[in-house]
Amino acid sequence: MLADDKTRDEVRTIREQFQRIVSIVRRAFRHFGKGCILVIIGAALSVGIALMRQRVYISETVILYRQLISTSYLSGDQTQVFSSQNVGRRLQEQLLARPRLEKVIEEFKLYPKIRAKFGDIQAVDRMRKDVQFRIGAGDTFHISYKGYTPDIAK
């Protein structure tokens, strides 16, 4: 008798399958209003949160660096090999050097709260987090800065 029940459940007629689909659709429409209310509430919350958060502006520049051929390279003395990785590391070290960043922070009066509370060293560390340096394809280097106003980012 158990085998007959299993085969009966597995083999359904087209009418039974259609009735099952219709009952699922009816249940879905019965709860359609609740679903719409949840979607509207979620959309309103996400827009509200997006408007309350502080905007972030990013300023980016691309530098193209080309190494000129030196006379030592032409004469066969290849003691110094210049690659974009080596040049990129040197440029990144120069860009993120503390004295250079301190001058920029002083000139544009950046991070006044951090400077007042913790000092210039913490302000420089914060600026290092906001400055991004990427080595691009070929001889290009991408430098970007993340600021909270368009003028500061510029």
Side-chain angles (χ1 to χ4, degrees):
M1 188 152 187
L2 292 175
D4 291 338
D5 290 339
K6 286 182 184 178
T7 56
R8 215 178 284 155
D9 289 338
E10 290 175 5
V11 179
R12 295 179 189 230
T13 64
I14 294 175
R15 173 177 276 170
E16 289 172 339
Q17 290 176 359
F18 181 73
Q19 287 175 347
R20 184 174 171 104
I21 291 172
V22 168
S23 69
I24 290 173
V25 169
R26 282 185 188 155
R27 279 189 226 140
F29 276 118
R30 203 175 325 158
H31 300 290
F32 181 74
K34 295 174 191 173
C36 286
I37 290 172
L38 286 176
V39 167
I40 291 170
I41 290 172
L45 283 174
S46 64
V47 167
I49 290 171
L51 291 176
M52 287 182 1
R53 294 197 72 191
Q54 189 174 17
R55 292 186 179 173
V56 176
Y57 298 90
I58 296 176
S59 176
E60 186 174 49
T61 186
V62 178
I63 297 174
L64 176 64
Y65 179 84
R66 299 256 175 169
Q67 179 67 36
L68 299 176
I69 298 174
S70 66
T71 56
S72 62
Y73 183 75
L74 293 175
S75 66
D77 181 22
Q78 298 178 2
T79 56
Q80 291 183 338
V81 177
F82 293 100
S83 70
S84 62
Q85 294 290 330
N86 293 337
V87 173
R89 285 190 204 111
R90 286 188 308 196
L91 285 174
Q92 184 176 14
E93 288 173 6
Q94 289 177 1
L95 175 71
L96 299 176
R98 181 176 298 163
R100 187 175 301 253
L101 292 180
E102 282 178 348
K103 287 179 186 177
V104 171
I105 290 171
E106 290 280 332
E107 182 180 342
F108 294 105
K109 297 174 180 58
L110 301 174
Y111 311 109
K113 293 178 184 175
I114 295 174
R115 289 178 64 200
K117 190 172 184 180
F118 300 109
D120 287 340
I121 295 174
Q122 292 296 328
V124 168
D125 288 340
R126 173 58 191 220
M127 187 164 186
R128 283 185 181 143
K129 289 179 183 177
D130 291 340
V131 173
Q132 297 291 320
F133 183 85
R134 292 184 298 120
I135 300 172
D139 297 332
T140 60
F141 304 100
H142 303 263
I143 301 170
S144 63
Y145 176 72
K146 178 175 58 173
Y148 295 104
T149 65
D151 293 332
I152 289 176
K154 185 178 173 183

